Amino acid sequence: MPRLIDRTAKIAFLAVAATLLTGAQPRLGNLESRLLASHNRERALAGVPPLRWNAELARGAQDWADHLSSTGRFEHSPNIPGRPPEGENIWGGTPGVFRPEAMVDLWISEKEDFVPGVFPANSRTGRAEDVSHYTQLIWGRSGEIGCGLGQRGGEEILVCRYSAPGNVKGRDPFAQDWQKAFVRRPAANQSNLKLPLAMSAAGFAAVSSALIEGRNIFDGGSEGSLRSSAPAS
């Protein structure tokens, strides 16, 4: 028996050592910090200040993500009278497939259609909903973020909330000079699998949410489906 215990301990040690040496981590390991880092990397490219994590925003996002995951619905949370408005991006995908970076990359992929200007005239397609996930993500006046991942049903649902909300009509996303560096991201390869969906809302009662089809950014070639939703004011 002691020999068996000793052997088990060695296997466990080697597994931990291999993880440390290769830099591997669980698919959802350090979820909050990775979601925040993914947002702030893109915001740095856009020349806007980084976001800070807000635990209260995260609690609200988690509650809504759990609700959507358990009910199978894909829609924005209702406005709460008397509460400050919040921006909201939603992503949905096949459970167990996508890493946090791939989830955020779906919203970032809308950068391909983004053009500088005053919101909502920011899309080369003429439709604000084609870039409104991205514009919320890099909205210069947003300073805080909180996210939650729902895993109660047949689909993973990521909800991220932002304060102050983005996609405000008549304002520019960068909240600064248009000529500051704007680095385009290469277009992602298309997949013949189900495309992701994206949904986003700016948190105002007058906002009409749009369910839109996004571009598919797969995690390391893994197969699956996803959807997301971005803000439009």
Side-chain angles (χ1 to χ4, degrees):
M1 180 64 71
R3 182 178 297 177
L4 178 60
I5 294 175
D6 183 56
R7 184 178 180 183
T8 302
K10 287 182 179 178
I11 292 174
F13 172 78
L14 290 174
V16 172
T19 298
L20 293 175
L21 288 173
T22 61
Q25 65 176 326
R27 180 177 69 92
L28 299 178
N30 300 313
L31 179 64
E32 293 180 2
S33 60
R34 290 166 66 186
L35 290 171
L36 180 62
S38 293
H39 277 75
N40 284 338
R41 275 193 295 271
E42 188 62 32
R43 289 176 68 87
L45 291 176
V48 298
L51 296 171
R52 301 177 301 277
W53 191 264
N54 181 300
E56 184 176 356
L57 288 175
R59 283 192 292 271
Q62 185 65 60
D63 288 344
W64 191 244
D66 287 340
H67 168 74
L68 295 180
S69 182
S70 61
T71 61
R73 306 188 70 162
F74 194 70
E75 60 190 7
H76 285 295
S77 55
N79 296 297
I80 301 176
R83 289 188 57 120
E86 298 170 355
E88 183 175 82
N89 276 1
I90 305 175
W91 171 98
T94 305
V97 174
F98 301 97
R99 291 181 177 271
E101 294 80 6
M103 300 174 189
V104 177
D105 275 350
L106 174 61
W107 299 332
I108 294 174
S109 70
E110 293 180 353
K111 181 178 181 177
E112 179 182 349
D113 289 324
F114 176 83
V115 293
V118 174
F119 191 86
N122 295 121
S123 176
R124 67 180 68 256
T125 69
R127 298 180 302 178
E129 61 267 29
D130 288 347
V131 297
S132 54
H133 313 84
Y134 175 70
T135 51
Q136 170 60 87
L137 190 149
I138 57 96
W139 197 261
R141 292 178 175 84
S142 294
E144 298 183 315
I145 183 177
C147 305
L149 185 67
Q151 299 176 290
R152 294 182 175 178
E155 186 175 38
E156 285 185 335
I157 300 289
L158 174 69
V159 175
C160 286
R161 290 187 176 171
Y162 308 83
S163 182
N167 293 355
V168 179
K169 289 181 179 179
R171 291 190 176 181
D172 66 88
F174 297 127
Q176 59 185 11
D177 187 349
W178 291 122
Q179 302 307 314
K180 297 243 177 150
F182 175 73
V183 182
R184 291 183 56 80
R185 190 185 189 87
N189 291 331
Q190 297 298 303
S191 168
N192 58 0
L193 299 173
K194 177 184 174 185
L195 293 179
L197 296 177
M199 185 187 281
S200 152
F204 295 105
V207 173
S208 58
S209 301
L211 183 63
I212 69 174
E213 248 185 339
R215 288 162 188 77
N216 210 348
I217 306 289
F218 286 104
D219 176 24
S222 300
E223 295 187 357
S225 65
L226 38 85
R227 51 182 179 164
S228 72
S229 132
S233 296

